[in-house]
Amino acid sequence: MTAVTESPQAPLAVRAAVVPEDLASRPSLRETVDQTLAMAWRATKKMRRNPEQFFDVTIQPLLFTAMFAYIFGGAISGSVKDYLPLIIPGILAQTALTTCMAMGTQLREDMDKGVFDRFRSLPIARIAPLAGPALADVIRYMIAATLTILVGIAMGFRPGGGVLGTLGGWLLTIVAAWSLAWIFTWLGTVARSAQAVQGISMMIMFPLTFLSNAFVPAESLPGWLEAFVKVNPVSHVVTACRDLINEGQVTAEVGWALLGCAAVVAIFAPLAVRSYSRKI
Amino acid sequence: MNDNLHPPAPRGDLAVDATGLVKTFGRPGSNIVRAVDGVDLQVVRGEVFGVLGPNGAGKTTMLSMLATLLPIDGGHASIFGVDVVDQPHRVRQLLGVTGQYASVDENLTATENLVLFARLLGHRWPAARTIAADLLERFGLTEAATRQIKNFSGGMRRRLDLAASLISRPPLIFLDEPTTGLDPRTRGQMWDTIRELVAQGSTILLTTQYLDEADQLADRIAVIDAGRKVAEGTPEELKAGVGSSTLHLRLTDRTQTAAAAAVVERALGEAPVLTPEAGGLNVPLANADGAGEVLIALRQAELSITTATVRQPTLDEVFLALTGHHSETSENDTETEEVA
Ligand SMILES: Nc1ncnc2c1ncn2[C@@H]1O[C@H](COP(=O)(O)OP(=O)(O)OP(=O)(O)O)[C@@H](O)[C@H]1O
Ligand SMILES: [Mg+2]
């Protein structure tokens, strides 16, 4: 009698399952970029279907520019027109912060959805689901920055730095917004709920914008406050924007602002990826 | 109980090899749940392996650990010999995961979802679009291609979800309760799809709450309860433990239940199980022919019945036989196949 290997669980396989031999141990840079772009594509699709995501970036520049200019203009600079060179770069920075703040809340909400389970189970770079939306969000920062400058011009603002200087300030605003968004992205990955992200974000946003030189010159403040305002990174962004837009000059402040942005990304992007990979 | 009826297959042939898997939830001090409590799982290449268990047994938790979605608290797991903890990125390239709840994007259309996943898996735009169109056709979703998922029915979502798991043609596919909540026709289609995948050489690990589903699809089954494996074997072996089929009787007069039970015991030499609802009896039959003898005995005793159904044992009956307690799930939702 021939020995027959008994296999009660005989598989029905017609052809053997192909198990690839050469599996990459981590995604390459190229793949990471492609995956980030795919995630950004997803985010733009979502934006198109939820147009309310564009409310804040359109209404806020219109409202805040006009409001702040007319309320504080006379008191701080003597007239609205004289205040515009001071306030427009300030509003730019403030708008950058408030629009990028939405990143955290949205990511938190998104992560609770089923599709994130699939993202986690796919062989993709862990940073892609975070960097993709951040990239798509640049569209919103562009709209906000452009509108702020246009409203200013409509109110009589004539940037001393000319087209190039203004463009430089516009670009710096967007870079700053994208960089600061990583703080909120990180918050989104660690907080328990979207409301918590919202609350904490507000607590970060208010001191950063109002305790800066965005709306009033730092020199007009009491000493201890002036000290904080001077180290606040938002102040550097505001000053750098003023230098670019009003003077058309690339000053050391621009360098400091960019360095500050780079530092924020270098700290918070890895933190965000780490806590995202750990999260269930 | 009748654990490990088969000698372990050689390690190299295992699609899933897990030993002593543990997952605990909750902080020390408060009450800790051991959702998975030392489970061993060996799935051979090319087979369909069914994990059967009631709500809260730990099925989803176990799959999540194997799919790198949850950190493993204890034990060791590898997929095709690749360690799940050390090489998560490699493991993810070997797996297609269809979770218990549809993991597709509600805000995108069906096509956009599949294109997105294909792009993420490294396909160029034109290839991604072709793959999406092909899969939609294969799963009968072409008409719904441009609709947002939030307007999909549960069955359509499930199919799209499975389609999304197949983009990378993974050699191992996890299906977490693939047919829960589907109507009988859609469920049959899902079974056909699963059989096709097996025919193409995929290995499948599926979880289910239904014995008949595991019976239809699985080459081997592990029964888990409260995080522990209570039995493992082929569907035949498991059913042999509870009799090959069950005769379900309902009496016209509920007060005669005890008398009827005695008659049945005399006819078959084994006591029937009283069902949770009054006036019902479940009689395990080693042989479906035994039903006739029971019915004749009842008629002779002049006990009248309203219904008599011969069907496969339910998960609850398997459970009762294996663990001595009922599974919590199977009150009314047990799917029965009516034979008589
Ligand atoms: N994130 C979590 N935190 C705390 N407890 C959890 C968590 N996930 C699961 N559990 C617990 O672990 C146990 C097993 O859950 P699991 O989802 O794995 O069961 P299941 O077998 O998939 O059940 P079902 O058939 O309902 O899907 C349950 O008691 C559940 O409450
Ligand atoms: Mg489950």
Side-chain angles (χ1 to χ4, degrees):
Chain A
M1 204 182 109
T2 33
V4 179
T5 7
E6 200 220 8
S7 62
Q9 69 271 41
L12 302 152
V14 171
R15 70 175 160 79
V18 196
V19 180
E21 292 297 320
D22 51 340
L23 296 171
S25 65
R26 58 168 51 84
S28 69
L29 183 63
R30 170 90 210 252
E31 286 167 337
T32 307
V33 171
D34 276 354
Q35 290 153 5
T36 303
L37 289 174
M39 285 297 190
W41 175 78
R42 165 181 181 262
T44 59
K45 287 275 169 198
K46 281 183 58 179
M47 278 183 192
R48 279 236 302 266
R49 301 213 169 109
N50 299 313
E52 60 269 23
Q53 286 194 33
F54 292 108
F55 284 2
D56 61 336
V57 294
T58 45
I59 292 170
Q60 199 173 305
L62 300 177
L63 206 65
F64 280 19
T65 315
M67 205 170 72
F68 280 108
Y70 288 118
I71 293 174
F72 298 133
I76 295 171
S77 303
S79 79
V80 172
K81 202 164 177 336
D82 290 338
Y83 185 47
L84 283 174
L86 188 74
I87 186 73
I88 295 293
I91 300 258
L92 275 177
Q94 193 219 12
T95 322
L97 255 175
T98 44
T99 46
C100 77
M101 210 178 76
M103 268 297 293
T105 333
Q106 278 186 8
L107 182 72
R108 179 67 262 168
E109 275 174 1
D110 219 12
M111 276 173 64
D112 292 333
K113 295 193 184 129
V115 70
F116 261 75
D117 280 341
R118 185 172 297 280
F119 292 154
R120 281 196 205 92
S121 76
L122 288 177
I124 58 172
R126 301 291 99 178
I127 198 173
L130 308 179
L135 189 61
D137 229 32
V138 167
I139 298 173
R140 289 173 3 102
Y141 312 150
M142 283 178 177
I143 295 174
T146 310
L147 280 180
T148 307
I149 293 172
L150 288 181
V151 171
I153 288 172
M155 289 174 66
F157 175 48
R158 296 293 168 262
V163 176
L164 273 184
T166 311
L167 216 58
W170 177 83
L171 208 61
L172 181 63
T173 308
I174 290 160
V175 170
W178 178 81
S179 311
L180 293 171
W182 282 103
I183 303 179
F184 301 105
T185 300
W186 170 70
L187 266 180
T189 59
V190 290
R192 276 171 192 277
S193 69
Q195 280 93 329
V197 181
Q198 180 86 20
I200 303 168
S201 302
M202 285 291 186
M203 271 158 46
I204 297 177
M205 199 272 295
F206 274 110
L208 277 183
T209 48
F210 287 99
L211 302 185
S212 76
N213 60 356
F215 306 110
V216 292
E219 296 71 36
S220 67
L221 301 168
W224 59 273
L225 202 53
E226 190 185 341
F228 177 81
V229 166
K230 285 207 161 132
V231 294
N232 183 349
V234 173
S235 297
H236 290 284
V237 174
V238 172
T239 313
C241 273
R242 282 186 187 138
D243 291 349
L244 284 164
I245 295 178
N246 297 328
E247 323 289 338
Q249 282 173 359
V250 184
T251 56
E253 279 297 323
V254 178
W256 285 117
L258 288 175
L259 199 68
C261 289
V264 166
V265 179
I267 295 169
F268 287 97
L271 281 179
V273 173
R274 208 176 64 153
S275 85
Y276 167 73
S277 327
R278 278 196 193 156
K279 202 105 180 176
I280 36 161
Chain B
M1 210 155 266
N2 49 350
D3 241 302
N4 286 327
L5 285 156
H6 306 291
R11 296 271 137 166
D13 264 353
L14 292 178
V16 177
D17 185 8
T19 43
L21 276 189
V22 174
K23 181 77 208 174
T24 51
F25 289 113
R27 298 221 169 86
S30 65
N31 52 337
I32 294 176
V33 186
R34 286 177 84 84
V36 176
D37 196 1
V39 172
D40 295 341
L41 203 65
Q42 271 78 36
V43 180
V44 181
R45 250 175 227 225
E47 78 174 336
V48 179
F49 193 96
V51 174
L52 189 63
N55 286 140
K59 305 182 292 293
T60 301
T61 307
M62 192 172 75
L63 286 197
S64 301
M65 280 193 286
L66 294 173
T68 75
L69 297 175
L70 266 184
I72 296 177
D73 288 350
H76 175 269
S78 64
I79 304 292
F80 293 110
V82 182
D83 192 279
V84 173
V85 176
D86 298 342
Q87 305 273 359
H89 189 71
R90 287 208 168 106
V91 166
R92 288 177 194 128
Q93 292 168 70
L94 297 165
L95 278 182
V97 182
T98 303
Q100 183 169 1
Y101 308 102
S103 40
V104 285
D105 196 323
E106 296 279 314
N107 293 302
L108 301 186
T109 66
T111 303
E112 286 165 355
N113 262 293
L114 295 180
V115 167
L116 169 67
F117 298 131
R119 290 279 298 135
L120 287 172
L121 288 164
H123 296 281
R124 314 262 104 222
W125 279 107
R129 288 191 205 287
T130 316
I131 290 172
D134 286 352
L135 280 170
L136 288 175
E137 194 180 328
R138 185 168 155 200
F139 283 84
L141 290 168
T142 307
E143 269 134 66
T146 54
R147 246 194 279 163
Q148 279 181 59
I149 307 308
K150 54 179 166 208
N151 304 324
F152 266 37
S153 75
M156 292 161 83
R157 262 170 228 244
R158 273 246 151 259
R159 275 183 281 157
L160 183 70
D161 206 22
L162 180 55
S165 311
L166 303 182
I167 293 172
S168 62
R169 298 171 186 274
L172 176 61
I173 300 168
F174 287 178
L175 301 172
D176 197 358
E177 301 195 15
T179 66
T180 302
L182 298 189
D183 65 35
R185 197 173 66 97
T186 321
R187 158 182 286 211
Q189 287 172 351
M190 186 63 91
W191 285 358
D192 290 342
T193 309
I194 294 170
R195 290 193 187 101
E196 252 172 63
L197 291 173
V198 178
Q200 288 163 10
S202 300
T203 308
I204 292 177
L205 176 57
L206 69 85
T207 75
T208 179
Q209 300 182 18
Y210 309 122
L211 181 65
D212 70 323
E213 178 161 291
D215 191 15
Q216 286 279 335
L217 296 171
D219 300 303
R220 279 193 304 143
I221 298 174
V223 181
I224 64 167
D225 178 35
R228 288 174 185 276
K229 188 165 77 179
V230 292
E232 182 174 339
T234 64
E236 287 67 36
E237 286 163 345
L238 285 183
K239 281 186 293 177
V242 275
S244 76
S245 51
T246 299
L247 170 66
H248 175 77
L249 297 171
R250 179 165 287 202
L251 297 168
T252 317
D253 183 357
R254 290 176 188 179
T255 57
Q256 295 178 327
T257 314
V263 171
V264 172
E265 186 164 4
R266 233 175 298 135
L268 292 179
E270 204 184 327
V273 183
L274 303 187
T275 60
E277 73 269 13
L281 292 175
N282 280 333
V283 187
L285 301 170
N287 187 329
D289 296 337
E293 283 157 48
V294 172
L295 294 176
I296 292 167
L298 285 173
R299 154 151 292 186
Q300 284 168 349
E302 295 187 339
L303 291 166
S304 123
I305 50 174
T306 54
T307 56
T309 324
V310 180
R311 53 163 170 71
Q312 288 198 314
T314 61
L315 172 60
D316 196 43
E317 284 151 0
V318 174
F319 245 80
L320 196 59
L322 290 170
T323 63
H325 69 86
H326 287 275
S327 70
E328 294 98 314
T329 40
S330 54
E331 278 99 57
N332 301 313
D333 57 358
T334 43
E335 303 285 314
T336 59
E337 232 170 284
E338 308 222 339
V339 199

